[in-house]
Amino acid sequence: MSAVPRWALLSAGGAPLFLIGGWTLAQAAQPDGFDPVRQTISALAATGADDRWIMTLGLAGLGLCHLLTALGLVTAAPVGRGLLALGGLATLVLVAFPQRPGGSTTHVVAAAVAFGALACWPALAVPGRAGRSSGPLQRESPTGSTPGLTARRAALAVSAVLLGLLGWFAVEFFSDGARIGLTERLLAAAEAVVPLLAVLAALGSRRRSGPTAPR
């Protein structure tokens, strides 16, 4: 299997930097009274927001980073990579259709697709079937589980956590709750960090397996 290119580490690491750095700077540029617990990230890039270009650039960088990481994460299953790319593309769409005072259906749909795809992709990113041997060198751990099975369980757990955060945000959003901004930031930050963890895991696995196959 091909190795994950080193530049994928840059794109994966850039995602949380663009997102969190973007909203930190954009919030600082807002007038007094902006509430990050109640107000969404999109409000920072909305039409009429002060210095909206900051969060617009942050979201655009986030989307591009996800697209590049999906391209470089060659060790992941195609379905998982496709969902990661879809999340990046949907992020760029919501940038192109910012939040407006009267609302924007395209923006809301794009945000929903982005959040959903980025929550589900880890569960579908582990190649092969759980527990299936990849060859004579596949070894079981002392507990009887294979590395592939362990990776699949970890990926499912990650997606479960992300879907839980997505559900919490959805409840706040549709009930006009007081923690819409907080739940969205927790969800978005977690989804931005996961690709970085996946790339680091892939690079670490490559180092452990060694550059050459045994005779």
Side-chain angles (χ1 to χ4, degrees):
M1 185 177 290
S2 301
V4 174
R6 292 286 180 178
W7 55 259
L9 186 59
L10 294 177
S11 64
L17 289 178
F18 272 110
L19 177 66
I20 298 173
W23 85 45
T24 300
L25 294 175
Q27 286 170 192
Q30 301 309 303
D32 293 340
F34 182 85
D35 185 1
V37 174
R38 174 61 191 252
Q39 293 177 267
T40 65
I41 299 169
S42 293
L44 297 170
T47 302
D50 288 4
D51 294 310
R52 61 180 297 268
W53 66 269
I54 300 175
M55 197 66 246
T56 298
L57 180 62
L59 290 172
L62 173 68
L64 289 173
C65 283
H66 284 329
L67 287 172
L68 289 173
T69 303
L71 180 65
L73 196 57
V74 293
T75 55
V79 175
R81 292 173 68 193
L83 283 175
L84 177 57
L86 176 61
L89 181 61
T91 302
L92 294 178
V93 172
L94 68 85
V95 170
F97 295 89
Q99 179 178 299
R100 290 181 168 82
S104 172
T105 301
T106 304
H107 181 88
V108 172
V109 171
V113 171
F115 280 136
L118 293 173
C120 293
W121 85 269
L124 300 172
V126 180
R129 292 194 300 245
R132 179 180 177 181
S133 174
S134 61
L137 296 180
Q138 185 79 18
R139 290 181 293 197
E140 292 189 355
S141 70
T143 60
S145 63
T146 64
L149 181 58
T150 300
R152 182 167 296 277
R153 286 173 175 170
L156 289 172
V158 169
S159 279
V161 171
L162 295 178
L163 288 170
L165 289 173
L166 177 56
W168 185 17
F169 169 62
V171 169
E172 291 289 329
F173 181 83
F174 288 110
S175 65
D176 195 25
R179 295 181 293 273
I180 298 176
L182 173 63
T183 55
E184 185 189 37
R185 281 163 176 77
L186 290 174
L187 172 62
E191 290 186 337
V193 169
V194 168
L196 175 59
L197 299 179
V199 171
L200 288 172
L203 292 173
S205 176
R206 181 70 179 181
R207 284 194 297 269
R208 289 192 298 271
S209 63
T212 59
R215 297 178 182 175

